[in-house]
Amino acid sequence: MVNEDVLDVEAPRSVDEVVVLDYGGQYSQLIARRVRELGVYSELLPHHVGAEEVRRRKPKGLILSGGPASVYAPGAPALDPELLELGIPVLGICYGMQLITLALGGRVEGAEIGEFGRSELTVREPGRLLADLPREQKCWMSHRDTVYEAPPGFTALASSTASPVAALENVERDIYGIQYHPEVVHTPFGHEVLQRFLLDICGCDGTWSAASIVEDQIARIRAQVGTGKVVCGLSGGVDSSVAALLVHRAIGEQLTCVFVDHGLMRKNEGEQVISAFRDRFQIPLVAVDAEERFLTKLKGVTEPEAKRKAIGAEFIRVFEEEAAKIGDANYLVQGTLYSDVIESGGGTGAATIKSHHNVGGLPDDLQFELVEPLRALFKDEVRAVGAELGLDERLVWRQPFPGPGLAIRIVGGEATKDRLDLLRDADYIFQDEIRKAGLYRDLWQSFCVLPDVRTVGVQGDERTYGAVVVLRAVTSDDAMTADWARLPYDLLEQIASRMINELRDVNRVVLDITSKPPGTIEWE
């Protein structure tokens, strides 16, 4: 029986898989990503799924992630001892190593001084895990409890500035542990440690890639849909574009794409979407002008989740109407990504940060069965699939854009036509200058926010009371974490100057320098 708390994602068929159990660590998603980058498919599962669920997946190996708790704290995530008896290699990272040590008779104690950030690692006995690595190296630590003695039968491989046992192994039992984090860039030889575990110890072939799942997903789509008719909500973003192309590759004319112009898109995007998919890819496309419908639904709505849900529900209603015209369409394509599933609380213990349009904003009376071919992929992997399918480079590298569009970037106020047009024009100026500076591909996202705030200014010797535009630009690998982008001052000056001069209602431009965490990328 499948555990109901497991993220509802199916692994590609006939590939090596390594399961990562999440004990709440801030880098847990990054571990799964690093494993995939090494050519091994990986999924992140809640720590409590149990040995039976892991066994069912038949992985080649198991990784226990780090976590914020002390192994001795009441209610701290515990280790199911059967996980160490599955007959597959196990690697514990940070908290995961401490759990292994405690379970097998080693000594873990709370240290007087924690070890956070860069630390010096000394390899005393390379063993199998650390073979051929420098004796002295740097690593990234994040812990307060410390392993003082390895369990009986284990070899202590290394120590660090504040950890007597910073790595250990028992080759006969195929159990390994490291106190530091190999998945972060601050650990220079972390890539080699993960590679050793995955390829040499687990025996994975390292041939998986995001592009390699195309044929697998085509087979899944055909099996799910059969001869049924399918509709896809085509927004023009990379997620829906890749999902549409993948489904079209699988079932051809059974798919009809529906592009709903809800009046919440960026400038000129509607025309670009229609041109690319109807003209170039020859995919059956219905374009619907529904701006008035959505503006009516958003009238008086200021709360962000209410906006998301109103837009999501109306989106589906438009689909239902178009599907009725198509006749007997029972399936709806969604560009849901793995990060959407995780952030929307796809497993017990995962906090719902916000309801994604692709996941949490759908009505309970949904009339379609969902087809989600990208559900197992991170954003950069979706781009790889898009390139494999021949998607235009400009679309492949288009920055993420929320399903509810500009409505959620009008913060604290109603999404009226005037405000949307103002935000659209401001965003156009921002994107134009970012592209001219050659920085578009360097940024994960760059966009404007329009708060429901007016400020005093002086323009042409006159007092003004105008709108504030917030600039938001971040760098990221997968949107799970993000850092604010250090844009050049002269570029920021040029952007602000254009906005204030070209947009009559704007008299102030400010910059958001908040990273994620603690903030989110979007404001709402």
Side-chain angles (χ1 to χ4, degrees):
M1 182 176 181
V2 179
N3 191 309
E4 293 180 356
D5 292 333
V6 176
L7 297 181
D8 184 19
V9 175
E10 284 190 85
R13 305 172 190 184
S14 304
V15 298
D16 291 339
E17 179 181 1
V18 167
V19 168
V20 179
L21 290 190
D22 181 11
Y23 287 87
Q26 60 179 319
Y27 304 126
S28 298
Q29 293 89 359
L30 190 55
I31 297 172
R33 284 184 45 75
R34 294 291 183 251
V35 172
R36 292 186 184 193
E37 289 169 4
L38 285 163
V40 181
Y41 182 74
S42 179
E43 273 188 40
L44 183 68
L45 303 181
H47 66 85
H48 57 265
V49 297
E52 188 56 41
E53 172 61 27
V54 176
R55 184 184 291 111
R56 184 187 70 82
R57 291 170 176 262
K58 300 179 181 177
K60 298 291 289 282
L62 175 66
I63 297 177
L64 312 180
S65 84
S70 163
V71 292
Y72 295 110
L79 175 67
D80 179 352
E82 287 187 40
L83 292 170
L84 304 180
E85 307 296 336
L86 294 176
I88 58 174
V90 179
L91 172 65
I93 295 176
C94 195
Y95 184 81
M97 168 176 155
Q98 294 171 11
L99 286 175
I100 291 171
T101 301
L102 187 66
L104 298 180
R107 183 161 66 96
V108 182
E109 294 182 5
E112 291 185 11
I113 300 176
E115 192 172 19
F116 299 94
R118 280 189 177 84
S119 187
E120 299 292 331
L121 186 76
T122 300
V123 179
R124 305 191 181 282
E125 176 62 46
R128 188 179 186 188
L129 188 64
L130 304 183
D132 302 322
L133 296 183
R135 177 178 172 80
E136 302 290 337
Q137 55 185 278
K138 296 189 183 301
C139 64
W140 189 262
M141 292 283 194
S142 182
H143 66 102
R144 192 168 296 279
D145 285 352
T146 299
V147 175
Y148 286 90
E149 292 180 12
F154 279 72
T155 301
L157 304 179
S159 61
S160 70
T161 307
S163 297
V165 181
L168 50 77
E169 70 179 20
N170 183 319
V171 176
E172 289 73 25
R173 297 189 64 178
D174 250 351
I175 300 176
Y176 306 81
I178 48 178
Q179 184 61 69
Y180 57 95
H181 289 273
E183 68 274 19
V184 301
V185 295
H186 310 296
T187 299
F189 293 95
H191 177 275
E192 285 80 0
V193 173
L194 288 175
Q195 187 174 52
R196 175 67 50 79
F197 178 72
L198 296 170
L199 305 188
D200 296 347
I201 295 174
C202 295
C204 298
D205 58 22
T207 59
W208 182 85
S209 70
S212 71
I213 74 162
V214 170
E215 293 306 318
D216 176 80
Q217 282 302 321
I218 286 173
R220 286 186 188 275
I221 293 164
R222 287 172 177 166
Q224 178 184 2
V225 171
T227 59
K229 291 185 178 180
V230 183
V231 290
C232 173
L234 189 61
S235 69
V238 63
D239 303 341
S240 70
S241 297
V242 173
L245 283 178
L246 197 50
V247 174
H248 185 254
R249 178 77 63 90
I251 60 174
E253 298 296 309
Q254 291 172 240
L255 170 69
T256 299
C257 287
V258 178
F259 168 59
V260 179
D261 186 350
H262 48 24
L264 309 173
M265 298 184 71
R266 291 171 287 204
K267 198 165 189 173
N268 301 326
E269 277 194 336
E271 295 85 349
Q272 293 170 9
V273 172
I274 294 170
S275 173
F277 285 84
R278 179 182 286 168
D279 301 339
R280 181 184 171 192
F281 292 110
Q282 304 294 307
I283 296 176
L285 176 66
V286 175
V288 184
D289 182 357
E291 181 180 31
E292 286 301 322
R293 288 181 59 165
F294 281 87
L295 290 177
T296 298
K297 289 292 182 181
L298 290 170
K299 190 172 181 59
V301 180
T302 59
E303 201 274 323
E305 284 296 285
K307 287 180 183 177
R308 289 176 181 275
K309 295 217 176 334
I311 293 166
E314 189 64 16
F315 217 82
I316 292 300
R317 296 299 166 245
V318 175
F319 270 120
E320 289 174 337
E321 292 172 14
E322 295 306 320
K325 297 174 187 176
I326 297 166
D328 301 322
N330 297 317
Y331 299 90
L332 170 64
V333 178
Q334 285 270 76
T336 309
L337 305 189
Y338 196 37
S339 52
D340 295 337
V341 177
I342 294 170
E343 281 205 353
S344 296
T348 298
T352 300
I353 298 170
K354 63 184 177 184
S355 65
H356 283 263
H357 182 57
N358 285 354
V359 181
L362 299 176
D364 294 334
D365 60 343
L366 180 66
Q367 300 298 308
F368 301 101
E369 180 179 330
L370 293 180
V371 178
E372 299 176 299
L374 310 179
R375 194 176 176 86
L377 301 181
F378 289 103
K379 176 72 79 172
D380 62 320
E381 296 170 334
V382 172
R383 296 191 199 279
V385 172
E388 182 78 6
L389 293 169
L391 190 62
D392 182 83
E393 183 179 358
R394 190 178 178 94
L395 283 174
V396 168
W397 288 100
R398 178 169 283 177
Q399 292 177 357
F401 188 63
L406 297 179
I408 63 163
R409 292 179 179 170
I410 295 172
V411 177
E414 181 183 341
T416 64
K417 180 72 163 65
D418 288 344
R419 285 175 176 167
L420 288 165
D421 286 341
L422 177 60
L423 181 54
R424 212 179 332 263
D425 288 340
D427 187 79
Y428 179 81
I429 291 171
F430 194 17
Q431 299 304 322
D432 186 46
E433 292 297 330
I434 289 291
R435 289 184 184 277
K436 286 179 181 176
L439 296 175
Y440 188 82
R441 287 273 295 269
D442 296 336
L443 301 175
W444 179 264
Q445 272 180 272
S446 53
F447 59 90
C448 297
V449 175
L450 186 65
D452 186 19
V453 174
R454 311 290 284 188
T455 70
V456 174
V458 178
Q459 292 172 281
D461 296 325
E462 293 183 0
R463 180 181 184 275
T464 62
Y465 198 53
V468 180
V469 172
V470 181
L471 306 181
R472 179 70 162 147
V474 299
T475 57
S476 179
D477 288 328
D478 55 19
M480 305 307 295
T481 61
D483 194 16
W484 64 278
R486 274 63 170 175
L487 299 177
Y489 287 158
D490 57 349
L491 173 61
L492 292 171
E493 182 180 24
Q494 172 66 10
I495 292 166
S497 177
R498 279 193 62 185
M499 287 185 182
I500 291 171
N501 283 302
E502 296 177 27
L503 307 178
R504 190 176 187 86
D505 290 335
V506 175
N507 72 352
R508 193 176 299 267
V509 178
V510 299
L511 178 67
D512 180 354
I513 59 169
T514 312
S515 295
K516 175 187 179 181
T520 54
I521 295 176
E522 297 285 349
W523 274 37
E524 291 192 341

